[in-house]
Short mmCIF file of all heavy atoms in Angstrom, two decimals:
data_model
loop_
_atom_site.label_atom_id
_atom_site.label_comp_id
_atom_site.label_asym_id
_atom_site.label_seq_id
_atom_site.Cartn_x
_atom_site.Cartn_y
_atom_site.Cartn_z
N PHE A 123 377.46 112.27 -1.61
CA PHE A 123 376.33 113.18 -1.67
C PHE A 123 376.77 114.61 -1.42
O PHE A 123 377.28 114.96 -0.37
CB PHE A 123 375.29 112.76 -0.62
CG PHE A 123 374.07 113.64 -0.58
CD1 PHE A 123 373.13 113.60 -1.59
CD2 PHE A 123 373.84 114.48 0.50
CE1 PHE A 123 371.99 114.38 -1.55
CE2 PHE A 123 372.71 115.27 0.55
CZ PHE A 123 371.78 115.22 -0.46
N GLY A 124 376.58 115.47 -2.43
CA GLY A 124 376.89 116.88 -2.28
C GLY A 124 378.36 117.25 -2.37
O GLY A 124 378.73 118.39 -2.14
N LEU A 125 379.20 116.29 -2.74
CA LEU A 125 380.63 116.60 -2.84
C LEU A 125 381.02 117.04 -4.24
O LEU A 125 382.05 117.67 -4.43
CB LEU A 125 381.47 115.38 -2.42
CG LEU A 125 381.29 114.93 -0.96
CD1 LEU A 125 382.23 113.78 -0.66
CD2 LEU A 125 381.53 116.09 0.01
N HIS A 126 380.20 116.70 -5.24
CA HIS A 126 380.48 117.09 -6.61
C HIS A 126 379.17 117.50 -7.29
O HIS A 126 378.10 117.03 -6.94
CB HIS A 126 381.11 115.93 -7.39
CG HIS A 126 382.31 115.34 -6.72
ND1 HIS A 126 383.53 115.96 -6.71
CD2 HIS A 126 382.46 114.19 -6.01
CE1 HIS A 126 384.40 115.23 -6.04
NE2 HIS A 126 383.77 114.15 -5.59
N THR A 127 379.29 118.36 -8.29
CA THR A 127 378.12 118.74 -9.06
C THR A 127 377.73 117.61 -10.01
O THR A 127 378.58 117.10 -10.74
CB THR A 127 378.41 120.02 -9.88
OG1 THR A 127 378.77 121.07 -8.98
CG2 THR A 127 377.20 120.43 -10.69
N GLN A 128 376.45 117.20 -9.97
CA GLN A 128 375.98 116.10 -10.81
C GLN A 128 374.63 116.48 -11.41
O GLN A 128 373.63 116.49 -10.71
CB GLN A 128 375.85 114.81 -9.98
CG GLN A 128 377.16 114.33 -9.39
CD GLN A 128 376.96 113.11 -8.51
OE1 GLN A 128 375.88 112.84 -8.03
NE2 GLN A 128 378.03 112.36 -8.31
N LYS A 129 374.62 116.77 -12.70
CA LYS A 129 373.37 117.14 -13.36
C LYS A 129 373.12 116.17 -14.52
O LYS A 129 373.85 116.18 -15.51
CB LYS A 129 373.44 118.58 -13.88
CG LYS A 129 373.56 119.62 -12.76
CD LYS A 129 373.49 121.04 -13.29
CE LYS A 129 373.57 122.04 -12.17
NZ LYS A 129 373.47 123.44 -12.64
N ASP A 130 372.08 115.33 -14.37
CA ASP A 130 371.80 114.35 -15.40
C ASP A 130 370.33 114.40 -15.82
O ASP A 130 369.75 113.38 -16.20
CB ASP A 130 372.16 112.94 -14.91
CG ASP A 130 371.46 112.60 -13.60
OD1 ASP A 130 370.70 113.45 -13.08
OD2 ASP A 130 371.67 111.48 -13.11
N HIS A 131 369.72 115.58 -15.76
CA HIS A 131 368.33 115.71 -16.18
C HIS A 131 368.20 116.89 -17.15
O HIS A 131 369.09 117.73 -17.27
CB HIS A 131 367.40 115.89 -14.98
CG HIS A 131 367.92 116.86 -13.95
ND1 HIS A 131 368.10 118.20 -14.20
CD2 HIS A 131 368.29 116.66 -12.67
CE1 HIS A 131 368.56 118.79 -13.12
NE2 HIS A 131 368.70 117.89 -12.18
N SER A 132 367.07 116.94 -17.84
CA SER A 132 366.85 117.97 -18.86
C SER A 132 366.62 119.35 -18.22
O SER A 132 366.32 119.45 -17.03
CB SER A 132 365.62 117.61 -19.70
OG SER A 132 364.44 117.64 -18.90
N SER A 133 366.75 120.37 -19.06
CA SER A 133 366.51 121.73 -18.60
C SER A 133 365.06 121.91 -18.14
O SER A 133 364.79 122.59 -17.15
CB SER A 133 366.82 122.72 -19.73
OG SER A 133 366.51 124.04 -19.34
N ARG A 134 364.14 121.25 -18.85
CA ARG A 134 362.73 121.35 -18.48
C ARG A 134 362.46 120.78 -17.10
O ARG A 134 361.75 121.39 -16.28
CB ARG A 134 361.89 120.61 -19.52
CG ARG A 134 360.38 120.69 -19.29
CD ARG A 134 359.63 120.00 -20.41
NE ARG A 134 358.18 120.05 -20.19
CZ ARG A 134 357.29 119.54 -21.02
NH1 ARG A 134 357.70 118.92 -22.13
NH2 ARG A 134 356.00 119.62 -20.74
N ARG A 135 363.06 119.63 -16.81
CA ARG A 135 362.88 119.02 -15.50
C ARG A 135 363.58 119.85 -14.42
O ARG A 135 363.07 119.96 -13.30
CB ARG A 135 363.42 117.60 -15.50
CG ARG A 135 363.36 116.92 -14.13
CD ARG A 135 363.53 115.44 -14.22
NE ARG A 135 362.38 114.82 -14.88
CZ ARG A 135 362.19 113.50 -14.93
NH1 ARG A 135 363.06 112.67 -14.39
NH2 ARG A 135 361.14 113.01 -15.54
N GLU A 136 364.70 120.42 -14.76
CA GLU A 136 365.41 121.27 -13.81
C GLU A 136 364.54 122.45 -13.38
O GLU A 136 364.47 122.79 -12.20
CB GLU A 136 366.71 121.79 -14.44
CG GLU A 136 367.58 122.60 -13.50
CD GLU A 136 368.89 123.00 -14.15
OE1 GLU A 136 368.85 123.45 -15.31
OE2 GLU A 136 369.94 122.85 -13.51
N TRP A 137 363.84 123.07 -14.36
CA TRP A 137 362.95 124.18 -14.04
C TRP A 137 361.75 123.72 -13.22
O TRP A 137 361.29 124.43 -12.31
CB TRP A 137 362.48 124.87 -15.32
CG TRP A 137 363.44 125.92 -15.79
CD1 TRP A 137 364.38 125.80 -16.77
CD2 TRP A 137 363.57 127.24 -15.27
NE1 TRP A 137 365.09 126.97 -16.90
CE2 TRP A 137 364.61 127.88 -16.00
CE3 TRP A 137 362.92 127.96 -14.28
CZ2 TRP A 137 365.00 129.20 -15.76
CZ3 TRP A 137 363.30 129.27 -14.01
CH2 TRP A 137 364.33 129.87 -14.75
N LEU A 138 361.25 122.53 -13.53
CA LEU A 138 360.13 122.00 -12.75
C LEU A 138 360.54 121.80 -11.29
O LEU A 138 359.81 122.20 -10.37
CB LEU A 138 359.68 120.66 -13.34
CG LEU A 138 358.59 119.91 -12.56
CD1 LEU A 138 357.31 120.75 -12.47
CD2 LEU A 138 358.31 118.55 -13.18
N TYR A 139 361.71 121.22 -11.09
CA TYR A 139 362.21 121.03 -9.72
C TYR A 139 362.40 122.38 -9.02
O TYR A 139 362.07 122.53 -7.84
CB TYR A 139 363.54 120.28 -9.75
CG TYR A 139 363.42 118.80 -10.05
CD1 TYR A 139 364.47 118.12 -10.68
CD2 TYR A 139 362.27 118.09 -9.72
CE1 TYR A 139 364.36 116.76 -10.95
CE2 TYR A 139 362.17 116.73 -9.99
CZ TYR A 139 363.22 116.08 -10.60
OH TYR A 139 363.11 114.74 -10.87
N ALA A 140 362.95 123.34 -9.74
CA ALA A 140 363.20 124.66 -9.15
C ALA A 140 361.89 125.30 -8.68
O ALA A 140 361.83 125.90 -7.59
CB ALA A 140 363.90 125.57 -10.17
N ILE A 141 360.85 125.19 -9.48
CA ILE A 141 359.55 125.77 -9.13
C ILE A 141 358.97 125.07 -7.91
O ILE A 141 358.47 125.71 -6.96
CB ILE A 141 358.58 125.67 -10.33
CG1 ILE A 141 359.05 126.62 -11.44
CG2 ILE A 141 357.14 126.02 -9.90
CD1 ILE A 141 358.30 126.43 -12.75
N LEU A 142 359.03 123.73 -7.89
CA LEU A 142 358.49 122.98 -6.76
C LEU A 142 359.25 123.27 -5.48
O LEU A 142 358.64 123.42 -4.40
CB LEU A 142 358.55 121.47 -7.07
CG LEU A 142 357.59 120.98 -8.16
CD1 LEU A 142 357.84 119.50 -8.44
CD2 LEU A 142 356.14 121.20 -7.75
N ILE A 143 360.57 123.37 -5.57
CA ILE A 143 361.39 123.70 -4.40
C ILE A 143 360.96 125.05 -3.82
O ILE A 143 360.76 125.19 -2.61
CB ILE A 143 362.88 123.74 -4.78
CG1 ILE A 143 363.39 122.33 -5.08
CG2 ILE A 143 363.72 124.37 -3.66
CD1 ILE A 143 364.76 122.29 -5.72
N SER A 144 360.80 126.02 -4.71
CA SER A 144 360.45 127.37 -4.26
C SER A 144 359.10 127.40 -3.57
O SER A 144 358.95 128.02 -2.50
CB SER A 144 360.43 128.33 -5.46
OG SER A 144 361.65 128.30 -6.16
N LEU A 145 358.12 126.74 -4.15
CA LEU A 145 356.75 126.79 -3.62
C LEU A 145 356.61 125.98 -2.32
O LEU A 145 356.04 126.47 -1.33
CB LEU A 145 355.77 126.28 -4.66
CG LEU A 145 355.62 127.15 -5.92
CD1 LEU A 145 354.67 126.49 -6.91
CD2 LEU A 145 355.12 128.55 -5.57
N ILE A 146 357.13 124.77 -2.32
CA ILE A 146 356.94 123.89 -1.17
C ILE A 146 357.76 124.35 0.03
O ILE A 146 357.23 124.54 1.14
CB ILE A 146 357.29 122.44 -1.53
CG1 ILE A 146 356.32 121.92 -2.59
CG2 ILE A 146 357.25 121.54 -0.29
CD1 ILE A 146 356.68 120.56 -3.15
N ILE A 147 359.05 124.57 -0.17
CA ILE A 147 359.89 124.97 0.96
C ILE A 147 359.62 126.42 1.34
O ILE A 147 359.71 126.79 2.52
CB ILE A 147 361.38 124.73 0.65
CG1 ILE A 147 361.62 123.25 0.32
CG2 ILE A 147 362.25 125.15 1.85
CD1 ILE A 147 363.05 122.89 0.04
N GLY A 148 359.26 127.23 0.36
CA GLY A 148 358.89 128.62 0.67
C GLY A 148 357.69 128.66 1.59
O GLY A 148 357.68 129.40 2.58
N PHE A 149 356.66 127.87 1.28
CA PHE A 149 355.46 127.82 2.13
C PHE A 149 355.83 127.29 3.52
O PHE A 149 355.39 127.82 4.54
CB PHE A 149 354.39 126.94 1.50
CG PHE A 149 353.11 126.87 2.28
CD1 PHE A 149 352.12 127.82 2.08
CD2 PHE A 149 352.92 125.89 3.24
CE1 PHE A 149 350.94 127.77 2.81
CE2 PHE A 149 351.75 125.83 3.97
CZ PHE A 149 350.75 126.78 3.76
N TYR A 150 356.64 126.23 3.54
CA TYR A 150 357.06 125.65 4.82
C TYR A 150 357.79 126.67 5.68
O TYR A 150 357.54 126.78 6.89
CB TYR A 150 357.95 124.43 4.57
CG TYR A 150 358.65 123.96 5.83
CD1 TYR A 150 357.98 123.16 6.75
CD2 TYR A 150 359.96 124.36 6.10
CE1 TYR A 150 358.61 122.75 7.92
CE2 TYR A 150 360.59 123.96 7.26
CZ TYR A 150 359.91 123.16 8.17
OH TYR A 150 360.54 122.78 9.34
N ASP A 151 358.68 127.42 5.08
CA ASP A 151 359.46 128.39 5.84
C ASP A 151 358.56 129.48 6.43
O ASP A 151 358.75 129.92 7.56
CB ASP A 151 360.55 129.03 4.96
CG ASP A 151 361.59 129.76 5.80
OD1 ASP A 151 361.76 129.40 6.98
OD2 ASP A 151 362.25 130.66 5.27
N GLY A 152 357.57 129.91 5.66
CA GLY A 152 356.65 130.90 6.18
C GLY A 152 355.74 130.33 7.25
O GLY A 152 355.35 131.03 8.19
N PHE A 153 355.41 129.04 7.14
CA PHE A 153 354.46 128.41 8.04
C PHE A 153 355.11 127.90 9.33
O PHE A 153 354.70 128.23 10.43
CB PHE A 153 353.77 127.27 7.30
CG PHE A 153 352.75 126.52 8.11
CD1 PHE A 153 351.85 127.19 8.92
CD2 PHE A 153 352.69 125.15 8.04
CE1 PHE A 153 350.90 126.50 9.66
CE2 PHE A 153 351.73 124.44 8.76
CZ PHE A 153 350.84 125.12 9.57
N ILE A 154 356.14 127.06 9.19
CA ILE A 154 356.81 126.48 10.36
C ILE A 154 358.19 127.08 10.57
O ILE A 154 358.50 127.59 11.62
CB ILE A 154 356.91 124.94 10.23
CG1 ILE A 154 355.51 124.33 10.10
CG2 ILE A 154 357.63 124.35 11.43
CD1 ILE A 154 355.52 122.84 9.89
N GLY A 155 359.05 126.98 9.54
CA GLY A 155 360.32 127.69 9.57
C GLY A 155 361.56 126.88 9.86
O GLY A 155 362.39 126.66 8.96
N PRO A 156 361.78 126.41 11.11
CA PRO A 156 363.05 125.76 11.46
C PRO A 156 363.41 124.61 10.52
O PRO A 156 362.59 123.74 10.24
CB PRO A 156 362.80 125.26 12.89
CG PRO A 156 361.80 126.22 13.44
CD PRO A 156 360.90 126.55 12.28
N GLY A 157 364.65 124.61 10.06
CA GLY A 157 365.13 123.57 9.17
C GLY A 157 364.95 123.86 7.70
O GLY A 157 365.44 123.11 6.85
N ALA A 158 364.28 124.98 7.37
CA ALA A 158 364.02 125.29 5.95
C ALA A 158 365.31 125.46 5.16
O ALA A 158 365.40 125.01 4.01
CB ALA A 158 363.18 126.56 5.84
N GLY A 159 366.32 126.08 5.76
CA GLY A 159 367.59 126.27 5.07
C GLY A 159 368.24 124.94 4.72
O GLY A 159 368.78 124.76 3.63
N SER A 160 368.16 123.99 5.66
CA SER A 160 368.71 122.66 5.41
C SER A 160 367.93 121.94 4.31
O SER A 160 368.50 121.23 3.49
CB SER A 160 368.69 121.82 6.70
OG SER A 160 369.51 122.41 7.68
N PHE A 161 366.61 122.09 4.32
CA PHE A 161 365.79 121.48 3.28
C PHE A 161 366.13 122.06 1.91
O PHE A 161 366.13 121.34 0.90
CB PHE A 161 364.31 121.68 3.58
CG PHE A 161 363.81 120.90 4.76
CD1 PHE A 161 362.88 121.44 5.62
CD2 PHE A 161 364.28 119.62 5.02
CE1 PHE A 161 362.41 120.72 6.72
CE2 PHE A 161 363.83 118.89 6.10
CZ PHE A 161 362.89 119.45 6.96
N LEU A 162 366.40 123.35 1.86
CA LEU A 162 366.78 123.97 0.59
C LEU A 162 368.10 123.40 0.08
O LEU A 162 368.24 123.08 -1.10
CB LEU A 162 366.89 125.49 0.76
CG LEU A 162 365.58 126.27 0.77
CD1 LEU A 162 365.83 127.71 1.22
CD2 LEU A 162 364.92 126.25 -0.60
N VAL A 163 369.07 123.28 0.98
CA VAL A 163 370.36 122.70 0.60
C VAL A 163 370.16 121.28 0.08
O VAL A 163 370.70 120.90 -0.97
CB VAL A 163 371.34 122.70 1.80
CG1 VAL A 163 372.61 121.92 1.46
CG2 VAL A 163 371.71 124.13 2.19
N LEU A 164 369.38 120.50 0.82
CA LEU A 164 369.11 119.12 0.40
C LEU A 164 368.46 119.08 -0.97
O LEU A 164 368.83 118.27 -1.83
CB LEU A 164 368.20 118.45 1.42
CG LEU A 164 367.70 117.06 1.05
CD1 LEU A 164 368.85 116.07 1.09
CD2 LEU A 164 366.59 116.61 1.99
N ALA A 165 367.48 119.95 -1.21
CA ALA A 165 366.77 119.97 -2.49
C ALA A 165 367.68 120.35 -3.64
O ALA A 165 367.62 119.75 -4.72
CB ALA A 165 365.58 120.93 -2.40
N PHE A 166 368.53 121.35 -3.44
CA PHE A 166 369.45 121.76 -4.49
C PHE A 166 370.43 120.65 -4.84
O PHE A 166 370.82 120.50 -6.00
CB PHE A 166 370.23 123.01 -4.06
CG PHE A 166 369.53 124.30 -4.38
CD1 PHE A 166 369.00 125.09 -3.36
CD2 PHE A 166 369.37 124.72 -5.68
CE1 PHE A 166 368.34 126.28 -3.65
CE2 PHE A 166 368.72 125.91 -5.99
CZ PHE A 166 368.20 126.69 -4.97
N ILE A 167 370.82 119.85 -3.84
CA ILE A 167 371.76 118.76 -4.09
C ILE A 167 371.06 117.58 -4.74
O ILE A 167 371.49 117.08 -5.79
CB ILE A 167 372.43 118.32 -2.77
CG1 ILE A 167 373.32 119.44 -2.24
CG2 ILE A 167 373.26 117.05 -2.99
CD1 ILE A 167 373.87 119.18 -0.85
N SER A 168 369.98 117.09 -4.12
CA SER A 168 369.35 115.86 -4.57
C SER A 168 368.53 116.02 -5.84
O SER A 168 368.47 115.09 -6.67
CB SER A 168 368.45 115.30 -3.46
OG SER A 168 367.46 116.24 -3.09
N LEU A 169 367.91 117.18 -6.05
CA LEU A 169 367.06 117.38 -7.21
C LEU A 169 367.75 118.13 -8.35
O LEU A 169 367.52 117.83 -9.52
CB LEU A 169 365.78 118.13 -6.82
CG LEU A 169 364.86 117.41 -5.83
CD1 LEU A 169 363.65 118.27 -5.51
CD2 LEU A 169 364.42 116.06 -6.39
N LEU A 170 368.58 119.10 -8.01
CA LEU A 170 369.23 119.92 -9.05
C LEU A 170 370.69 119.56 -9.28
O LEU A 170 371.33 120.12 -10.16
CB LEU A 170 369.09 121.41 -8.69
CG LEU A 170 367.64 121.93 -8.66
CD1 LEU A 170 367.62 123.41 -8.28
CD2 LEU A 170 366.97 121.73 -10.01
N GLY A 171 371.23 118.65 -8.45
CA GLY A 171 372.57 118.14 -8.70
C GLY A 171 373.71 119.05 -8.31
O GLY A 171 374.83 118.89 -8.79
N PHE A 172 373.48 120.01 -7.40
CA PHE A 172 374.53 120.93 -6.97
C PHE A 172 375.44 120.24 -5.96
O PHE A 172 375.06 119.28 -5.31
CB PHE A 172 373.92 122.16 -6.31
CG PHE A 172 373.23 123.10 -7.27
CD1 PHE A 172 372.76 122.68 -8.50
CD2 PHE A 172 373.04 124.43 -6.93
CE1 PHE A 172 372.12 123.54 -9.38
CE2 PHE A 172 372.39 125.31 -7.80
CZ PHE A 172 371.93 124.86 -9.02
N ASP A 173 376.67 120.76 -5.81
CA ASP A 173 377.50 120.33 -4.70
C ASP A 173 377.11 121.17 -3.48
O ASP A 173 376.32 122.11 -3.57
CB ASP A 173 379.00 120.46 -5.02
CG ASP A 173 379.44 121.89 -5.33
OD1 ASP A 173 378.86 122.84 -4.76
OD2 ASP A 173 380.36 122.07 -6.14
N PHE A 174 377.67 120.84 -2.32
CA PHE A 174 377.27 121.51 -1.08
C PHE A 174 377.52 123.01 -1.12
O PHE A 174 376.70 123.81 -0.66
CB PHE A 174 377.99 120.90 0.12
CG PHE A 174 377.22 119.81 0.81
CD1 PHE A 174 377.65 118.50 0.77
CD2 PHE A 174 376.05 120.09 1.48
CE1 PHE A 174 376.94 117.49 1.39
CE2 PHE A 174 375.32 119.09 2.12
CZ PHE A 174 375.77 117.79 2.07
N LEU A 175 378.67 123.42 -1.66
CA LEU A 175 379.01 124.84 -1.66
C LEU A 175 378.04 125.64 -2.52
O LEU A 175 377.51 126.68 -2.09
CB LEU A 175 380.45 125.03 -2.15
CG LEU A 175 381.04 126.44 -1.96
CD1 LEU A 175 381.04 126.83 -0.50
CD2 LEU A 175 382.46 126.49 -2.53
#
Side-chain angles (χ1 to χ4, degrees):
F123 179 71
L125 297 183
H126 307 285
T127 301
Q128 298 176 339
K129 295 186 178 181
D130 55 0
H131 44 64
S132 66
S133 176
R134 183 177 180 179
R135 175 164 292 189
E136 185 176 46
W137 274 100
L138 175 61
Y139 286 152
I141 291 170
L142 291 175
I143 290 168
S144 305
L145 293 177
I146 295 172
I147 302 182
F149 182 87
Y150 168 81
D151 195 25
F153 180 43
I154 300 177
S160 297
F161 290 143
L162 282 169
V163 172
L164 173 69
F166 273 110
I167 294 171
S168 59
L169 297 179
L170 296 179
F172 289 22
D173 61 32
F174 266 112
L175 191 59

